[in-house]
Amino acid sequence: AVLLIAPCPALAVALDLPTSVPWQLPAPEAQADLSPGRRARNLPLPPEGAEWLQPAGWESLVRRVGGGVVVMQRGRMVATSIDLVAWLRDLRQGEADWANVDRDGRPGLTPNDLRPFPWSGLAWRQPSGDVWTELLAWVVGERLQRAPLPRIWPLPDGARSALVLTVDQGFADSDRIEALLALAEGARGELTVLSTRGTRQVDDAPADGAGGELLSLRAMVRARTWGHGVGAQPNLNGLGDPRLAMQAVEAQRLRLQGELKPGELRVVRHHDRRWWGHDAPAEHLADRGYWMELDFGSAAARMRGPGFQFGSARPARWQGPTGALLPILSQPTPIDGDALLGDRADSAGLSLEQAALGAANLLDAGIDWAVPVVAQVSAPSIAEAPPNFLDELLAAATARELPIVSAERWATWSWARLAAAGATAIAPTGDGWTASPSPAAVPLLLWSPGEDCDAPRPASLLTGPGCLGPWGPTAP
C-alpha cells in the first residue's frame, strides 16, 4: 500500500497521478467536505493549495467544498494534494510568517496573533487537527488494509474524555487559591494552579522582579496529597525585549523550584498568554525542562463560545523550523474563562449560562473524538460564591462522568503514552493487524475493532465499535 501525504513531483510521475491545479482562496473559510461512508465532516484547508479537478479512475475521499478533490484513492494507493504534515503543524502552532505581528486587536503579542481567526462555526467546535489524524487512521485501516487500525487509547483508564483543569493565579492571595482547590475537591477533581508567586507583580518591575504568595506549608501538603499541582505563570507584560522575557521566565522558574519538590514544576502558561516570535518560547521552555506549555488558548469574540482555535485538543511535541521535535508538549487550551466572560478586547462577553453551555458542548465534542478538554479560569475573575464558572465546569464534567485531572497528571500520562506508542510495533497481516506491546510507565489500554466485550465503543466518530483491553506490562 502507498499513502502519499505531501505533494512530490517525482512520485507523482512514477505513480501516474493526475495533474493537480492550484487554488487561491480567501482565508479563513477554506473547508473540505469529508464523506468516508458514514457522515460528512467539514475540515479546514490551508488558504493556498492544490486539488484534482477530474481524477479519472480515482475515488474521492475528501473534496474541497465548491472545488476539486483533495484526498483520493485508487486500489491500495491514497494520495493527498496538500502537504498534510505541514498543514497540521500550522494548525497547531500557528503560522511562523505572522510572528511578532499584533493581529488580534488586543495589546501585546500572544499565540492568538499567529492564528487570529477561525474558519467556520463547525471547524471551531471540533478538534479539526485531531479529525484529520483520525482520517489518516481511517484511510490506513479501513481503506488500505480493510480492517480498522487498533490504537492505544488516548485517555487514562479508558475515559471517554477528560477535563484538564487549570487556574491562573493572577496575583490572587493564598486564601482565594485554597477556596478554589476546595471547589475542585468537592467534585472529586484535581486542578493545577499556574502561580504568579516568584514573578514580577507589576508590569513596570524589572525582569527578575519577584513577590506574591501561593499556599501555606499546611495547605501545600494537603494539595499535594489530594493530587493538585503547581505550575509557573511568569509575568512578561511590559518586557518588549525577548531577552528580558526569557530572563523573567528563568527567574520565576528558579524561585519556584527552590520552594517545590524536585521535579514538581512541570507545566507553564505565561501570564496573559504572552508570546514572542514563533518557535523561540517553546525552545526556551523546553531547554528549561518544562514538560508541557499551555499558552495556545482560544479567543475569538465573534464565535460566541469556546472552541478549538488551534485545531486540536490532544497534546503534541513542538516541531521546530527544521522539523526536529522538541522535548516539550504543546497542549491547546480551548476553554478560556476570561475570553468568554471577561471584558478583554477579545472576550465574547457571554453570560455565565451561555459560557457554561458552550463549555458543556465542548466536553461533548471531547467525548465524540476521545480527546481531552483543557480549561483555564482566572482566580481573580471567579465569583467567591456559587454560581461561578468553575462550579459550572465541574458540574458539566461530573454529569458526563469525566475525570477532572491536573495538568501535571495529564502531562505525565501523555509523555508515558507517547513513549510506549513509539516503542510499539503494529503491522498488517492478511486480514487485520498484529501488535507487539512494550512496557509503559502507566497502565495503558488498547482499542481493537469488534463487539465481543461488555461495553463496545467507537474510537471516534469515524470508526465502528471496538473493545478496550489491557496493553503491555507496566514498567517498574
Side-chain angles (χ1 to χ4, degrees), residues 394-425:
L394 294 169
T398 300
R400 289 159 177 76
E401 299 182 335
L402 301 181
I404 304 166
V405 301
S406 69
E408 286 80 8
R409 188 179 299 278
W410 176 241
T412 301
W413 191 88
S414 297
W415 272 113
R417 177 184 180 274
L418 185 63
T424 294

Side-chain angles (χ1 to χ4, degrees), residues 28-32 41-45 87 91 117-129 131 303 306-312 362:
E29 297 297 341
Q31 297 178 42
R41 291 287 158 197
N42 287 340
L43 293 172
L45 290 168
W87 174 229
L91 275 176
F117 53 77
W119 297 267
S120 66
L122 180 58
W124 177 257
R125 291 187 294 271
Q126 72 177 14
S128 299
V131 179
M303 300 311 297
F308 300 99
Q309 178 158 338
F310 286 91
S312 184
L362 226 63

Side-chain angles (χ1 to χ4, degrees), residues 36-83:
R38 291 191 173 86
R39 53 188 297 189
R41 291 287 158 197
N42 287 340
L43 293 172
L45 290 168
E48 296 182 2
E51 60 194 357
W52 295 287
L53 296 182
Q54 294 178 328
W58 293 77
E59 179 184 357
S60 171
L61 301 184
V62 177
R63 180 181 293 273
R64 181 172 66 85
V65 172
V69 176
V70 178
V71 183
M72 61 183 185
Q73 179 177 8
R74 184 179 66 191
R76 291 177 57 78
M77 184 188 309
V78 171
T80 65
S81 65
I82 63 173
D83 187 337

Side-chain angles (χ1 to χ4, degrees), residues 111-112 273 294-299 307 309-310 331-336:
N112 200 46
R273 295 193 288 111
L294 298 144
D295 283 288
F296 283 67
S298 295
Q309 178 158 338
F310 286 91
Q331 172 63 66
T333 302
I335 300 178
D336 180 341

Side-chain angles (χ1 to χ4, degrees), residues 35 122 159 163 407 427:
S35 303
L122 180 58
L163 175 62

Side-chain angles (χ1 to χ4, degrees), residues 376-396:
Q376 82 83 19
V377 296
S378 176
S381 302
I382 296 295
E384 294 195 13
N388 59 47
F389 190 50
L390 179 55
D391 268 325
E392 297 290 345
L393 285 172
L394 294 169

